[in-house]
Amino acid sequence: MKKVCLIIGIAGLAAATSLCVPKGGKAETVEASALKAAETSASSTDSKVLVAYFTWPETDGVDASSGASRVVAHGKVYGNTEYIAGMIAEATGGDLFAIKTERNYPGSHKELIDEAKREAEAGEHPRLVTHIENLKDYDVIFVGYPNWWYDMPMAIYTFFEEYDFSGKTVIPFCTHGGSRFSRSVETITGMEKNARVVRGLSVAGRDVPEARQTVRNWLEKQNLLKH
């Protein structure tokens, strides 16, 4: 068993701030016919996979009560979403792609959630400094993000504005503190109208360190498990 230290919080904001709570079943549903078509497309074992993710590990706190959103493993600090992205890439044989912005966010929990709220309310879409140069090579694109204030981070809005995923399968996944996807999958479906959007996994922060088998089981059901 790998020794892992988990520090939970911003992904969803519920554990530390009680600001995010599940909205009920409606946010977790997609039209059955659309989901079936997307899953059929995603199930090819010959598909080339890209695992894109946005993460921001907090720098303060050393335990679960600190409200931070990170995993410490083998002497390295990972953002929760980054950690899940690594599991997906390992299991699918996919390529990892970090979505990075030109701006730096605060490292402390309180300052980070305040800035995330301000950015969302202002509708600011930060400029990205990393770009996918060979998008045409990929058939399946996983897109991971933390749930910030019942939504995906503004950087993910920028990401979907930058690329046209027409004809590709897009699989959102998220880490959270209680709100799961909220309505972010529906938002992505609206932004990428010509892509096949499949709802992936939403992983609670407290479950991130031990999520490997859950990730593998889900990928196996989609016929995307290669390793």
Side-chain angles (χ1 to χ4, degrees):
M1 179 71 68
K2 294 181 180 179
K3 185 177 180 182
V4 189
C5 173
L6 171 68
I7 305 160
I8 324 170
I10 183 69
L13 303 173
T17 66
S18 299
L19 290 172
C20 283
V21 293
K23 293 261 187 173
K26 290 185 178 179
E28 290 302 304
T29 30
V30 265
E31 188 176 343
S33 59
L35 178 60
K36 183 177 180 180
E39 287 179 343
T40 299
S41 173
S43 64
S44 172
T45 55
D46 295 326
S47 297
K48 187 168 182 181
V49 175
L50 181 69
V51 184
Y53 67 91
F54 174 78
T55 198
W56 199 267
E58 295 171 28
T59 57
D60 60 351
V62 293
D63 57 31
S65 64
S66 70
S69 177
R70 66 190 191 187
V71 174
V72 181
H74 310 295
K76 182 178 177 180
V77 176
Y78 299 86
N80 280 354
T81 307
E82 177 185 16
Y83 203 64
I84 296 296
M87 293 178 184
I88 294 172
E90 178 185 7
T92 61
D95 297 329
L96 276 172
F97 175 79
I99 301 169
K100 297 183 178 181
T101 63
E102 66 178 4
R103 62 163 304 179
N104 290 320
Y105 291 87
S108 67
H109 178 71
K110 177 63 166 60
E111 292 178 356
L112 178 55
I113 64 173
D114 287 347
E115 179 57 22
K117 183 178 182 180
R118 185 205 65 77
E119 188 176 67
E121 289 178 343
E124 294 179 4
H125 295 185
R127 186 188 299 262
L128 303 183
V129 296
T130 54
H131 307 279
I132 304 170
E133 297 181 356
N134 56 335
L135 181 61
K136 62 180 176 56
D137 295 341
Y138 297 101
D139 306 300
V140 177
I141 297 93
F142 287 85
V143 182
Y145 47 90
N147 183 325
W148 284 0
W149 296 96
Y150 304 114
D151 202 355
M152 54 193 186
M154 292 295 102
I156 299 298
Y157 280 88
T158 308
F159 179 78
F160 281 111
E161 289 166 350
E162 181 167 329
Y163 301 104
D164 179 2
F165 293 114
S166 294
K168 300 182 184 295
T169 297
V170 176
I171 307 178
F173 66 97
C174 80
T175 56
H176 64 93
S179 294
R180 304 193 179 191
F181 283 108
S182 297
R183 292 196 59 81
S184 60
V185 176
E186 287 78 2
T187 299
I188 292 167
T189 301
M191 295 180 75
E192 297 291 340
K193 296 183 185 300
N194 296 314
R196 294 172 289 274
V197 180
V198 178
R199 187 183 302 271
L201 290 172
S202 61
V203 183
R206 64 181 178 277
D207 297 329
V208 167
E210 305 302 328
R212 188 174 302 276
Q213 195 57 50
T214 300
V215 169
R216 291 182 64 85
N217 289 345
W218 189 86
L219 291 170
E220 186 173 21
K221 289 179 181 178
Q222 310 304 314
N223 293 326
L224 286 167
L225 185 64
K226 292 188 177 180
H227 298 288

